[in-house]
Amino acid sequence: MTQNNCRVCLKKIDEFMSFGKMPIANSFIKKNEINSQFFYNMKVGFCQNCFTFQLIDVPNAKQMFNSKYAYLASTSLVMQNHWRKLANLIVKDYKLNTNSFVVEIGSNDGIFLKNISNLKIPHLGVDASSNVSDISKSRGVNSLNAFFNTQTALDIRSSYGKADIIVSTNTMHHIEDINSAAEGMSKLIKNDGTIITEDPSLKEMLVKNSYDQIYAEHMYIWSLSSISSLFNKYDMEVYDIKNNTFHGGCSRYFIAKKNKKKISNNVYFHKKNENRIGINKMSTYEKFKKRTIESKKRLKDFLTKLKESNKKIVGYGAPAKSTTILNYCDIDGSLIEKIFDNSETKIGKFTPGKSLIPIEHTKYFESYYSEYCILFAWNHEKEILNKEKKYKKKDGKWIIPIPKLKVI
Ligand code: TMP
Ligand code: ZN
């Protein structure tokens, strides 16, 4: 749907960049689906009123979240650890027990809630994609296959009561009617409860120039400024913030009803840092656009030159982010022969859009000869380079596309 007004505050939005026609990032396709792909115009805007960075056009939610959703959170051991730690921290810090109630919005394959379920703490995971919701059920997670909005929140409240904790990781950027979701959270949370959201950080995206964070499923890139604008509308405020390096740099926001919790110094520091990089100024986005265009040219020229000298190039990791890089930079199967990935939902398929690169299981990477490998899952550099040490020993070279093109 096209929206010329901001989805948070409804004021006019300033569009500043177009990435051209894009497929849905996670819509890895079979051969017979190549000619029936869905495309939308990927344009981004920044709201100078509430400071929300967002897509102008977004595809219908059912195009993105359905029985074929390809992202399985549990494919990474590092992420499994990350969400286990969050579960342990919440149980300890908020003294959760068998009388508590934890809700997760966007519970995916149960990667986080299975830890809560193992402790017999009442919980409910809500996810719009039925395939991942079914996986979470098979892991003992109480799950509801639904889109989260105010009505879903009221239904949950009448069936289970109010929640002590609502967690939503890497999901706030997926929800088009974000006002309905935030209002729903405010009605579902207990008076002294805490909402914890974690998403890729706009500050980190600007600093790293990681434009590949932008795709249909990421219709917003949140910042402390914009998440505060959103929740302030529903009498809530951010009282703490913690940053981490996952997914290329995320911020975890702790949100409560206004005046219920002491505002941590982290919030003041982070606000200062956002202002320091000009996160709320339009000129910052004009500069981001310029750097992104340069980054595209550098990568495309580099790969083209390698190909001209007959080098064999493959890819590693087919995250949603790679759909943006491949389609925006016009990279296809003529430059990159194949991409190795360990997600069952992607293996045997092709990368979406114009790129159409075949995806194979990572178990074949070691025995396959290539001189260069571009790491699209650049945020997992440590884990993957460690796992694939033999590639360098055979003189294979890694190409890291983001933050700055480098060869290792
Ligand atoms: P993400 O950055 O959104 O987590 O996606 C990472 C992609 O890379 C995902 O498709 C799984 C894939 N992957 C591997 O194939 N091997 C690995 O060791 C890791 C960490 C990820
Ligand atoms: Zn706005």
Side-chain angles (χ1 to χ4, degrees):
M1 213 182 295
T2 301
Q3 176 114 2
N4 294 315
N5 291 335
C6 168
R7 290 188 180 80
V8 172
C9 72
L10 313 179
K11 296 249 164 71
K12 197 187 154 292
I13 182 108
D14 288 298
E15 180 186 324
F16 68 89
M17 184 171 182
S18 171
F19 286 80
K21 290 246 177 284
M22 281 281 164
I24 307 262
N26 269 310
S27 65
F28 296 88
I29 48 170
K30 294 189 194 133
K31 207 169 194 161
N32 63 1
E33 294 166 332
I34 288 177
N35 295 321
S36 55
Q37 294 188 73
F38 172 86
F39 287 89
Y40 69 102
N41 256 328
M42 196 166 98
K43 295 180 288 183
V44 282
F46 180 71
C47 175
Q48 296 191 63
N49 181 55
C50 74
F51 314 125
T52 308
F53 180 101
Q54 59 203 282
L55 292 191
I56 304 293
D57 294 319
V58 296
N60 183 298
K62 290 207 172 94
Q63 295 265 15
M64 299 183 268
F65 309 110
N66 48 44
S67 60
K68 294 183 186 159
Y69 191 57
Y71 178 68
L72 300 179
S74 299
T75 48
S76 163
L77 283 176
V78 172
M79 291 319 290
Q80 288 189 32
N81 254 331
H82 178 58
W83 300 125
R84 188 175 51 245
K85 276 191 199 148
L86 174 64
N88 292 341
L89 179 141
I90 292 173
V91 171
K92 188 167 146 270
D93 286 3
Y94 299 95
K95 302 184 176 53
L96 299 187
N97 56 46
T98 49
N99 294 317
S100 312
F101 182 40
V102 178
V103 174
E104 188 184 12
I105 301 164
S107 40
N108 198 272
D109 57 10
I111 187 168
F112 163 77
L113 272 183
K114 70 171 190 232
N115 302 291
I116 300 290
S117 163
N118 287 345
L119 295 170
K120 310 259 181 300
I121 296 171
H123 62 275
L124 181 68
V126 186
D127 203 290
S129 302
S130 59
N131 60 330
V132 293
S133 187
D134 288 346
I135 298 175
S136 72
K137 275 184 206 158
S138 72
R139 291 180 177 158
V141 171
N142 191 23
S143 308
L144 173 70
N145 175 215
F147 285 96
F148 185 86
N149 52 32
T150 309
Q151 190 53 52
T152 324
L154 293 175
D155 292 346
I156 296 172
R157 195 173 80 179
S158 58
S159 305
Y160 297 87
K162 288 191 174 182
D164 298 272
I165 301 284
I166 299 177
V167 171
S168 181
T169 65
N170 294 304
T171 303
M172 290 293 285
H173 47 211
H174 287 334
I175 306 177
E176 185 174 5
D177 191 353
I178 196 67
N179 279 301
S180 176
E183 186 178 0
M185 290 187 211
S186 74
K187 289 187 189 301
L188 182 58
I189 195 76
K190 281 185 183 167
N191 244 344
D192 57 351
T194 291
I195 296 170
I196 300 168
T197 73
E198 181 169 324
D199 297 279
S201 136
L202 181 59
K203 176 164 113 10
E204 288 305 306
M205 185 191 86
L206 291 169
V207 170
K208 296 196 173 75
N209 215 64
S210 46
Y211 67 87
D212 58 345
Q213 287 291 0
I214 307 170
Y215 47 88
E217 295 90 325
H218 283 189
M219 54 185 86
Y220 316 89
I221 311 288
W222 295 105
S223 63
L224 173 59
S225 304
S226 58
I227 214 91
S228 300
S229 302
L230 172 66
F231 281 98
N232 284 346
K233 288 178 76 172
Y234 304 99
D235 284 328
M236 307 188 76
E237 61 190 357
V238 176
Y239 71 87
D240 202 0
I241 178 168
K242 302 245 161 74
N243 301 307
N244 63 53
T245 57
F246 295 95
H247 289 301
C250 282
S251 289
R252 181 180 290 173
Y253 306 99
F254 297 78
I255 301 155
K257 300 227 160 151
K258 272 190 185 158
N259 305 318
K260 286 281 177 199
K261 313 250 179 183
K262 186 175 173 292
I263 309 284
S264 150
N265 279 339
N266 296 339
V267 175
Y268 300 110
F269 283 135
H270 196 92
K271 187 94 195 71
K272 240 190 200 165
N273 284 335
E274 286 194 346
N275 289 339
R276 193 172 43 79
I277 65 154
I279 205 166
N280 296 331
K281 286 193 196 139
M282 204 59 209
S283 55
T284 303
Y285 297 92
E286 292 298 339
K287 285 183 206 146
F288 168 75
K289 174 181 175 175
K290 198 166 159 261
R291 290 197 305 270
T292 301
I293 294 170
E294 284 163 9
S295 167
K296 165 182 175 162
K297 189 171 177 325
R298 213 174 296 133
L299 180 62
K300 181 75 195 270
D301 288 354
F302 182 69
L303 295 178
T304 307
K305 280 204 183 105
L306 286 182
K307 204 70 208 171
E308 280 166 4
S309 50
N310 288 322
K311 300 289 187 221
K312 223 172 159 59
I313 316 168
V314 296
Y316 201 108
K321 295 191 285 291
S322 67
T323 299
T324 297
I325 299 188
L326 294 170
N327 284 278
Y328 173 60
C329 301
D330 298 318
I331 298 168
D332 61 16
S334 65
L335 285 176
I336 296 176
E337 216 171 294
K338 54 177 89 178
I339 298 182
F340 296 91
D341 192 287
N342 63 3
S343 313
E344 291 301 335
T345 48
K346 301 177 186 175
I347 295 159
K349 294 186 179 166
F350 292 81
T351 58
K354 297 169 290 175
S355 56
L356 301 173
I357 302 169
I359 301 171
E360 272 184 27
H361 199 296
T362 44
K363 68 184 174 198
Y364 301 116
F365 176 70
E366 200 187 307
S367 59
Y368 191 78
Y369 175 75
S370 72
E371 286 145 307
Y372 286 83
C373 178
I374 175 162
L375 185 64
F376 291 109
W378 55 267
N379 48 310
H380 299 287
E381 179 179 327
K382 223 168 143 193
E383 182 176 359
I384 293 173
L385 266 55
N386 197 29
K387 205 186 287 182
E388 304 291 0
K389 275 193 192 117
K390 287 192 182 140
Y391 185 59
K392 274 218 67 78
K393 288 198 181 122
K394 289 193 303 185
D395 269 348
K397 291 190 174 57
W398 292 99
I399 304 170
I400 316 289
I402 304 262
K404 253 203 158 77
L405 183 63
K406 66 172 179 185
V407 178
I408 321 181

